[in-house]
Amino acid sequence: LTPGLPSLDEIYRRPYEEAQANGDVPSIPVQPISYGDAFHFMSQLSEHSVPDGWEGELNITYKILQSSDNTNVTFIEVNNVQNISTINNVIAVIYGTIEPDHMVILGNHRDAWTFGAVDPNSGTAVLMEIARLLSDLRDKGWRPGRTLVLCSWDAEEFSLIGSTEWVEDIQHLLG
């Protein structure tokens, strides 16, 4: 609701209805489902091949219409709630000694769709290990030539919000 600007408390937020009227938010409901459910539902479709580029990774022939002799009916109830929530990005900076105004940025998101999901964990593990090693080096007096920025972004699963908001906030430094 703050396109091009960070969602800080002092920034004006457009009303949701205005963003919706301008087509800046999705106009159809979206519900993520599991691979198994997607396979089940997509395999029920048997007529009219999909256009080029619409094929996914399921091991089926992609169709877009259920045949008239298939009487299976599925109802999905979607109960999405539109709300504004606080997210928390975690940013660590080690300022460089030679070119402090040039940054090396390393980041990863840490949120996942479900509890125990492994999506962000390998990147988060690497990021945390790099942070630990850099801390050890700093304890020995080391400083990098360029500024190092380590980023752990929140809300990636909801349209890359954490990293987008962070970039909108520091875009004047990125050139």
Side-chain angles (χ1 to χ4, degrees):
L1 302 177
T2 61
L5 299 170
S7 292
L8 303 173
D9 288 339
E10 60 272 12
I11 300 292
Y12 170 75
R13 283 181 175 75
R14 295 183 301 167
Y16 183 81
E17 295 74 21
E18 179 184 323
Q20 197 172 31
N22 290 341
D24 296 333
V25 294
S27 60
I28 59 173
V30 175
Q31 180 62 49
I33 60 174
S34 70
Y35 176 95
D37 288 340
F39 184 86
H40 171 76
F41 294 131
M42 295 293 290
S43 64
Q44 300 291 313
L45 305 177
S46 58
E47 297 188 10
H48 301 294
S49 296
V50 299
D52 288 340
W54 282 28
E55 297 88 3
E57 298 297 320
L58 298 175
N59 189 21
I60 60 171
T61 302
Y62 280 78
K63 303 287 185 172
I64 59 174
L65 186 65
Q66 182 172 301
S67 71
S68 58
D69 61 341
N70 183 342
T71 59
N72 292 333
V73 177
T74 301
F75 293 96
I76 297 177
E77 184 175 331
V78 179
N79 294 304
N80 291 336
V81 176
Q82 300 292 338
N83 61 357
I84 295 175
S85 299
T86 300
I87 64 166
N88 296 293
N89 291 329
V90 179
I91 311 297
V93 179
I94 302 175
Y95 292 98
T97 56
I98 300 169
E99 297 180 279
D101 55 335
H102 290 104
M103 295 184 285
V104 176
I105 301 170
L106 178 64
N108 184 60
H109 73 98
R110 66 179 180 282
D111 63 318
W113 277 115
T114 61
F115 296 109
V118 297
D119 168 31
N121 293 343
S122 59
T124 298
V126 171
L127 185 66
M128 296 304 293
E129 182 62 11
I130 290 170
R132 187 189 66 77
L133 293 170
L134 290 174
S135 178
D136 288 350
L137 289 171
R138 285 286 293 134
D139 288 346
K140 296 174 183 171
W142 173 85
R143 294 241 339 251
R146 292 184 176 194
T147 296
L148 302 179
V149 183
L150 303 181
C151 308
S152 177
W153 293 302
D154 198 0
E156 182 270 349
E157 300 293 355
F158 301 96
S159 299
L160 306 172
I161 292 174
S163 56
T164 299
E165 294 297 330
W166 182 74
V167 167
E168 288 174 340
D169 192 27
I170 68 152
Q171 61 188 332
H172 63 283
L173 299 175
L174 299 176

